[in-house]
Amino acid sequence: MTTQGTGTSLEHKVHAVRLGLNRGRMELVQSIRSTQDQWFYMFTAALTLGYLWIRRDAETGVEGIPFAAVALPSILGALIAFGVVVGPAYSLAMEKEDGTLLRHRAIPDGLVGYFSGQLLFHSLSLVPQLVVILVPSLILFDGLMADPSGWFTVVWVTVLGLLASLPIGMVIGSLVPGVQKVGMWGMLPIMVLAGISGIFYPVQQLWGWVQVVAQAFPMYWMGLGMRSAFLPDSAAALEIGGSWRTVETVTVLGLWAVAGALLTPVVLRRMARKQTGSQVQAAREASMQWVK
């Protein structure tokens, strides 16, 4: 009986994951076809390329390395972190309000499927955003990638950074009382972290305790990992300790990823258990009043 029950439970989980991945794939297709999302990609790319072009002659502190080669990797790290924190937070908060999560809870292992779908959707949603920034950058600016092997580093930093950051967004979306609060608890902290994580200027210019805070979160390490991918070894002199600290990058991002994988399902289950149909209805009415 135990073996049969275990097998049935495993089948439910596998089926839930398949349904979740299929849902994530359909959401991705809808997103790519969405005019609103297309404009968002273009707007983000225009801002990034405009900033790099305006400051293309700025000094970097290392002879022979253009400003774009230093700034672009940091910006990519920040965009990845921003996208997989704020995006899932908004999605989860909205689907908590409209009853989607309540319906998932009624399905065996429905939350497992939901998490799988969100992971696929938000992971692959990064691809068009990165493409519309990277392709024009490679055309407009010289010396962006010092060594072709750096593309391998780009891949593993992106994957690890995604696994480290996405659970943060889902936890925020689970805990906030409504969509209107995501800006305060999601977007605002990410903007603060972007300001102290060495994205726009060296983190060494900040107070010592701020440097410690910045290095406690994934965004700093994603920016550092991206810079190690694009820049030559000589540019490591600009970093803390004069090194790319690859082992530390893997360790910190890996710890965040493991912690997120363990914590997020627990938070989702507790949130779903507390949610009722009357709460969903009340949230809908509150959101309608806010829109008015």
Side-chain angles (χ1 to χ4, degrees), residues 76-77 80-81 84 115 119-120 122-124 126-127 130 150-167 218 221-223 225-226 229 249-250 252-258 261:
L76 292 178
I80 293 170
V84 296
F115 183 79
L119 179 62
L120 178 68
H122 291 290
S123 300
L124 296 184
L126 292 173
V127 175
L130 295 181
W151 291 112
F152 173 74
T153 303
V154 170
V155 172
W156 70 255
V157 170
T158 300
V159 172
L160 262 185
L162 187 149
L163 294 176
S165 304
L166 181 94
W221 298 98
M222 292 167 67
M226 285 293 184
T249 300
V250 174
V252 175
L253 293 180
L255 287 174
W256 272 96
V258 171

Side-chain angles (χ1 to χ4, degrees), residues 89 92-93 96 171-183 185-186:
L92 189 55
K96 184 170 61 175
V171 169
I172 292 173
S174 299
L175 298 179
V176 295
V179 177
Q180 298 86 354
K181 299 295 184 182
V182 173
W185 297 106

Side-chain angles (χ1 to χ4, degrees), residues 224-277:
L224 178 63
M226 285 293 184
R227 290 193 293 275
S228 74
F230 281 83
L231 297 172
D233 291 338
S234 59
L238 299 174
E239 305 294 341
I240 295 176
S243 167
W244 293 126
R245 297 193 287 172
T246 302
V247 174
E248 291 89 338
T249 300
V250 174
T251 301
V252 175
L253 293 180
L255 287 174
W256 272 96
V258 171
L262 295 175
L263 179 63
T264 304
V266 175
V267 174
L268 284 175
R269 283 196 295 268
R270 289 184 178 179
M271 179 270 297
R273 281 199 299 267
K274 294 179 180 179
Q275 193 179 30
T276 63

